[in-house]
Amino acid sequence: MGLFDRFKKNDKPKEKKAIPDNVEIDEDQLALKKIATTDKDRIKRAEAADKITNQFVALDLSKNVKDRAIRLIAINKVQDEDLLLDAAENSKFFDVRSFAWERLGENNKSIAEIVINTKKNKHVDEIFSKIVDEQTLEWIAIEANDKRYRTESLEKIDSPDVLYDLVFKSDDRSIRKSCVLKDSFTDEEILKKVAIEDKDEQVKRAAIGKIKSEDNLAEIAKSEENAKVRSLIFEKIDDPEILKNIVLNSQKSDVRLDLINQIDDESLLAQIALEDSDKIVRSEATKKITDEETLLKIISSENDRFVRQIAVNNLSDPKELIKIALEDEDQFVRDHAISNPAITDEKDFTYIAINSTHEDIANEALSHIESEDAFIDILKNAKIDSVRKSTLDNVNDLETLIRIVLANEDEEFSLKALNKIKVEKCLMKIYEQGISENISVRAVSLIKNQNYLTDVVKNDPSWRVREAAAKKIISKKVLKEVSHNDENEYVRNVAKKRMNL
């Protein structure tokens, strides 16, 4: 029989029958099996195998013995079709499986075993070229060790049903992709299933590229993990209602997030911003919203501070921003409100500085104020004491400064205001009010009028005030008189030191 003659039989599917588990085997057959599997002499092993007549022993050898000559001798002993089928399906060795399939008349399967398990060469190519059965070609496309045979098998397959089966069975992503790209691979439901279930991006892309139904594309997008694949899908969908359905119903936040950039409908964006379960999706939707009413709803109902601050950033109504800057419980949100460029009027910043109960917000408002009138207003009316005091550096109005000193609500603050007064008549009037010893000392220390200072150093009952006056007196005569006559040692010493200058 020639090399290819054995493949001329017609394929005849065999019905598999159960092989009994417990088979009685004669001792002589077991002895021959032992020689065939363990003897060190290969010729003796072959002779023993050739003497075996029990088909169950022969089957066992054909399925498990590593020595090719022994297992082929053994399979040639098997005549029972059920035992041949067992060898064809279960032998560890493809040459046995191929021979068993040939004996059963399954010529395509016999050839397939050789093609699947052999590297590409011209002898196998000749056998392969004879295969036209597409189910056999499918088997080779799935199982062949040599990728070239897998590829060439696929090239010979045109049946849609075979391709639809193959695309889900092959482990080779290039085979799956090539299946999809076949002209006969057109069923959109199958394409959708491939796009949803296949793990390879290129296979998914190939399937999506052939899908025309936007509804099918939407179904794929709802659960798709790969952002690049989702992007390809969204590029193919034009129907805004389908996009709306995806963004509202997809269980994957990444899918919903990807679609935000394609949505311009503010009512839909508002629904997403107010209702979506994912804060990142809500934040991205909020970024695209300009409607003041919607933004205020988000600010009042949103739990996430970052989403709220985005809404605050998009507001353009200064009144609402001022309200948020003054009243919102979250410092982060208040900061964004007062930093919103929609607030530009110094009157608004003055109002915030006066009415805020949050020092950070009031100080930020102060940084936007330049006019002295505004600072004076804040100094008079701010709710926060530290904010009022921080305005003093920007206030030079004499009347305001005198009012602070005379009120003397906070002596340190009054002294700071007093330091800014340069008009001697005012300083003298303040001294004469006798507000406090510290203020009198400071006022005298700022006076230069020698006659006035002489009167103070001679007559003021407080030694500290007299001391302050002595430090400013120039007249040696007056200083001499003080150094001799003042009742306080400290004052006398100051006068003496001044005389020596």
Side-chain angles (χ1 to χ4, degrees), residues 263-271 288-292 294:
I263 296 173
D264 295 314
D265 181 347
E266 280 234 357
S267 62
L268 178 56
L269 288 168
Q271 184 177 354
K288 299 185 72 174
I289 295 172
T290 57
D291 179 70
E292 297 278 309
T294 302

Side-chain angles (χ1 to χ4, degrees), residues 410-421:
D410 181 325
E411 189 170 72
E412 183 180 351
F413 187 52
S414 296
L415 291 170
K416 187 176 179 182
L418 182 57
N419 285 337
K420 300 190 73 175
I421 298 174

Side-chain angles (χ1 to χ4, degrees), residues 189-247:
E189 287 300 314
I190 302 296
L191 287 166
K192 181 174 75 171
K193 183 176 174 65
V194 171
I196 291 173
E197 296 181 3
D198 203 283
K199 301 302 182 184
D200 185 78
E201 180 181 329
Q202 294 304 315
V203 178
K204 286 176 175 288
R205 284 176 168 271
I208 290 165
K210 296 183 76 171
I211 295 174
K212 297 178 180 179
S213 166
E214 292 193 2
D215 288 328
N216 283 335
L217 290 169
E219 286 299 311
I220 299 166
K222 285 179 182 178
S223 59
E224 178 53 51
E225 299 274 358
N226 189 306
K228 292 180 180 179
V229 174
R230 291 197 301 267
S231 178
L232 175 64
I233 295 170
F234 295 147
E235 287 174 4
K236 297 189 68 175
I237 298 177
D238 296 317
D239 188 334
E241 287 300 315
I242 291 179
L243 293 175
K244 178 179 179 179
N245 178 268
I246 297 173
V247 80

Side-chain angles (χ1 to χ4, degrees), residues 24-81:
E24 291 187 9
I25 299 174
D26 294 339
E27 290 296 327
D28 67 318
Q29 294 293 299
L30 293 175
L32 289 169
K33 176 183 176 183
K34 184 174 181 180
I35 295 170
T37 55
T38 62
D39 199 282
K40 294 181 179 180
D41 189 323
R42 189 180 186 193
I43 294 176
K44 289 182 178 180
R45 294 201 304 273
E47 289 175 347
D50 194 45
K51 292 177 181 179
I52 291 173
T53 57
N54 186 289
Q55 293 192 63
F56 289 100
V57 174
L59 174 63
D60 183 57
L61 293 176
S62 71
K63 288 168 63 176
N64 298 298
V65 175
K66 292 183 179 180
D67 189 319
R68 184 171 184 271
I70 300 301
R71 64 176 180 260
L72 290 179
I73 292 171
I75 191 61
N76 199 44
K77 296 284 184 176
V78 178
Q79 303 296 322
D80 183 89
E81 289 191 354

